[in-house]
Amino acid sequence: MAPVQNARLIYKSVPEGYPIPGQTTVYDTNDSIDLENAPLNGGFLAKTLILSIDPFLRGKMRKPEKKSYSAEFKIGEPLYSYGVARVLRSATPEVKVGQYITGNFISFSEYAICPPTVLPSLTVVDKRPDLELRTYVGAAGMPGQTAYSGWKEHADPKPNDVVFVTTGAGPVGSLVIQLAKQAGCKVIASAGSEDKVAFMKSIGADVAFNYKTTDTREVLQKEGPIDIYWDHVGGEILDAVIEFSAENARLILCGSISGYNTGGAAPIKNLSMAVGKCLHLHGILVFRIFHKHAKAFWEEIPPKLASGEIKFREEVTKGLDKAGDVILAVQKGTNTGKAIVVVAEE
Amino acid sequence: MAPVQNARLIYKSVPEGYPIPGQTTVYDTNDSIDLENAPLNGGFLAKTLILSIDPFLRGKMRKPEKKSYSAEFKIGEPLYSYGVARVLRSATPEVKVGQYITGNFISFSEYAICPPTVLPSLTVVDKRPDLELRTYVGAAGMPGQTAYSGWKEHADPKPNDVVFVTTGAGPVGSLVIQLAKQAGCKVIASAGSEDKVAFMKSIGADVAFNYKTTDTREVLQKEGPIDIYWDHVGGEILDAVIEFSAENARLILCGSISGYNTGGAAPIKNLSMAVGKCLHLHGILVFRIFHKHAKAFWEEIPPKLASGEIKFREEVTKGLDKAGDVILAVQKGTNTGKAIVVVAEE
């Protein structure tokens, strides 16, 4: 069989601010691949079906000298992220042809030869008939797992605790809201549009507001003090929460998007208050803690997603050529619902 | 019996920077008290023997509108702190004449009528014959209890963990150093004089340095990454520790003296790193957590203090008239060892 086109989204340059399509990322159709004969080198050939577009991708678009928990993207190579791929050929017994696999190495290309080094981070998708494959990168995937394991690990909720969730309409935040409501907490949630505010209310938030038109400090002062905070933004909002937190509050630090495209989040002026309030701040990464909560997650969450007991929103974009735009939208927060790019149907 | 002099150290004005003797605090000998007839109003008459001079006193020298975990001192009244007093007369069955009592309400005056409202925070000193009474405000008192309960609650030490302790020659820090060495950790400790460096080495610190002449960042870069941090200073040092901390590090926030006399500690720029490193920051107040560890503390620590297995230093100053100078010395860090004022011998 003749080689076929292998379109790719290439990481072209380190962005200064937002990642601009055509500049930071470039869609390229010049490559091709021989699907029958391309050497596997002990790995496997995967066809990319679904790509998850998450805020953390911005952290991988950095200069190599800047260290972080996750490797930086290499200039000139395709991006990669969480996603779902179908195995077309395999030279390793751990992966079988026809399987759907997921992990944080799915290439932003139509096809990819995956080396055996990805095997430790690979999961075979045990797809339920009543959930879409794409949901395994969203509510049943990394974002859902982040919310679940971070909450179980550190929230320690009591009935009537006051919980504040930022980016509450996103795939992590929206599950945190619902877990907090299940636990009998009062939930305050913020997001950046009226549509998102309506969604947060629909999934149970007691107080939902648009942080662009309502002052977060005023809401916290009125509705707080805060017992549990789920932080996706860092900077001034985190500083305000420290000020308006209750004694013994748990602050779960999951991201700081306020700084991702601006050279860093605003410095924190109030951290010395953590002493007198006995605050507990916990940074979390899903891949460090999920294993402790995986069994409970798989037993509880996918059935509730399928039955509608837990609600989620997805914003599906078709075509790898659009992935650069979706990456930018996620950084700007203009997407509504978990951002997913469908590269191929099957 | 005629009234006798009741000298007092009066809180005179809110300091801008350091608390200046004669200005912030004024020694006054104009008051007197009738020891036999002064009405007790359901409380008791105490003779102040020992006063503990601690960094946190600065936090009580603030404007009333600034909220904190501990009430502010009242202008025109004597200061109060941890200390030991002897009961001269009592109108409550909970306190008996002749008992030595301790608590965070001991007046900076020769004598004081204590109201029944202090009873919940009062402890009768169960003095060992082989420990001095003054040690019950130091290594066996609030500072020792702070170190012990904060460490037991949050340090989670493993052998060979790297521990960094600031103000390591103080009564809290020096016990933290020794608890960390007991747990098999490598200990880095800082303080502000060569004498204190020598003391920290003598109690087991593997790396001890004078932060005034050696750059903390360089030490942390060379000797880190840090697994457990005991913070007494906040600001830039805390920020540096976040930068040089290991994954999953525990940062115990016990004070931020870098900001007490300067209008606040420097803002923290690196807190967003807490996400990628999965850091855990815990603010502690001894009176919120000691009850969980009190039994173990009383069983373990006083015998080890008496036998010399755990070492401690005290700097004893005689005379209430000197207390204002000692308060200033503690804020400036020019004292060596736990600062104690002996007001009366018996």
Side-chain angles (χ1 to χ4, degrees), chain B residues 210-228:
Chain B
N210 180 344
Y211 72 85
K212 292 179 180 168
T213 55
T214 301
D215 184 45
T216 300
R217 294 177 56 87
E218 282 177 22
V219 176
L220 298 181
Q221 191 155 26
K222 183 178 166 213
E223 305 288 347
I226 306 302
D227 297 295
I228 303 171

Side-chain angles (χ1 to χ4, degrees), chain A residues 248-302:
Chain A
N248 205 35
R250 288 77 70 198
L251 283 62
I252 300 168
L253 312 182
C254 187
S256 56
I257 201 164
S258 70
Y260 291 175
N261 299 285
T262 57
I268 303 298
K269 297 173 188 163
N270 293 329
L271 192 58
S272 61
M273 290 185 188
V275 179
K277 293 187 176 197
C278 297
L279 302 186
H280 307 278
L281 290 78
H282 300 280
I284 62 161
L285 288 177
V286 60
F287 59 85
R288 296 229 181 281
I289 54 174
F290 182 61
H291 63 279
K292 295 197 232 175
H293 307 282
K295 188 167 174 289
F297 176 85
W298 291 117
E299 281 173 12
E300 179 182 352
I301 299 300

Side-chain angles (χ1 to χ4, degrees), chain B residues 147 151 163 165 171-181 187 230 232:
Chain B
W151 180 263
V163 180
V165 184
V172 180
S174 61
L175 183 50
V176 172
I177 290 173
Q178 293 173 84
L179 292 170
K181 288 309 298 177
V187 177
W230 192 283
H232 280 140

Side-chain angles (χ1 to χ4, degrees), chain B residues 42-288:
Chain B
F44 58 93
L45 171 64
K47 181 178 183 184
T48 301
L49 304 180
I50 288 160
L51 290 168
S52 176
I53 310 296
D54 299 294
F56 83 90
L57 292 181
R58 181 61 181 81
K60 296 172 77 70
M61 300 174 180
R62 65 177 194 274
K63 292 185 176 146
E65 51 273 25
K66 204 173 158 189
K67 293 228 161 48
S68 186
Y69 62 94
S70 155
E72 72 281 1
F73 287 134
K74 299 276 176 288
I75 300 281
E77 295 187 10
L79 289 80
Y80 56 89
S81 181
Y82 288 92
V84 181
R86 187 159 55 83
V87 179
L88 300 185
R89 287 165 53 215
S90 178
T92 166
E94 299 185 50
V95 167
K96 292 178 179 50
V97 171
Q99 280 181 329
Y100 298 112
I101 52 123
T102 182
N104 185 21
F105 58 86
I106 305 297
S107 179
F108 280 55
S109 57
E110 290 178 280
Y111 304 96
I113 308 284
C114 299
T117 49
V118 307
L119 292 173
S121 60
L122 173 154
T123 308
V124 176
V125 178
D126 183 20
K127 185 185 173 305
R128 295 170 61 99
D130 50 8
L131 278 186
E132 297 289 335
L133 205 50
R134 64 173 182 263
T135 302
Y136 287 85
V137 302
M142 183 273 285
Q145 294 165 11
T146 300
Y148 190 85
S149 52
W151 180 263
K152 295 292 178 188
E153 187 85 2
H154 296 302
D156 191 18
K158 285 107 188 164
N160 301 316
D161 270 358
V162 178
V163 180
F164 177 42
V165 184
T166 47
T167 71
V172 180
S174 61
L175 183 50
V176 172
I177 290 173
Q178 293 173 84
L179 292 170
K181 288 309 298 177
Q182 278 184 9
C185 301
K186 167 179 162 176
V187 177
I188 308 166
S190 68
S193 75
E194 295 309 314
D195 169 75
K196 290 177 180 177
V197 168
F199 175 63
M200 294 190 296
K201 283 185 180 161
S202 79
I203 60 173
D206 300 283
V207 179
F209 68 97
N210 180 344
Y211 72 85
K212 292 179 180 168
T213 55
T214 301
D215 184 45
T216 300
R217 294 177 56 87
E218 282 177 22
V219 176
L220 298 181
Q221 191 155 26
K222 183 178 166 213
E223 305 288 347
I226 306 302
D227 297 295
I228 303 171
Y229 174 51
W230 192 283
D231 186 34
H232 280 140
V233 296
E236 290 178 8
I237 301 298
L238 173 56
D239 226 6
V241 172
I242 292 173
E243 183 176 346
F244 295 112
S245 64
E247 266 173 24
N248 205 35
R250 287 77 72 199
L251 282 64
I252 300 167
L253 311 182
C254 187
S256 56
I257 200 165
S258 70
Y260 291 175
N261 298 286
T262 58
I268 303 298
K269 296 172 187 163
N270 292 328
L271 192 58
S272 61
M273 290 184 189
V275 180
K277 294 188 178 198
C278 298
L279 302 185
H280 307 279
L281 290 80
H282 300 280
I284 62 162
L285 289 177
V286 60
F287 59 84
R288 296 229 182 280

Side-chain angles (χ1 to χ4, degrees), chain A residues 135 138-140 143-144 147-148 151-152 155 157 163-189 196 198-207 228 230 232 297 300-314 337-338:
Chain A
T135 303
Y148 190 85
W151 180 262
K152 295 292 178 186
V163 179
F164 176 41
V165 185
T166 46
T167 71
V172 179
S174 60
L175 183 51
V176 172
I177 290 172
Q178 293 173 84
L179 291 170
K181 288 309 297 177
Q182 278 183 9
C185 301
K186 166 179 163 177
V187 177
I188 308 166
K196 291 177 179 177
F199 175 63
M200 296 189 295
K201 284 186 180 161
S202 78
I203 60 173
D206 300 284
V207 179
I228 303 170
W230 192 282
H232 280 140
F297 176 85
E300 179 182 352
I301 299 300
K304 288 185 177 171
L305 296 172
S307 72
E309 186 181 338
I310 292 180
K311 292 175 183 61
F312 59 99
R313 285 212 299 189
E314 295 168 343
K338 168 71 194 118

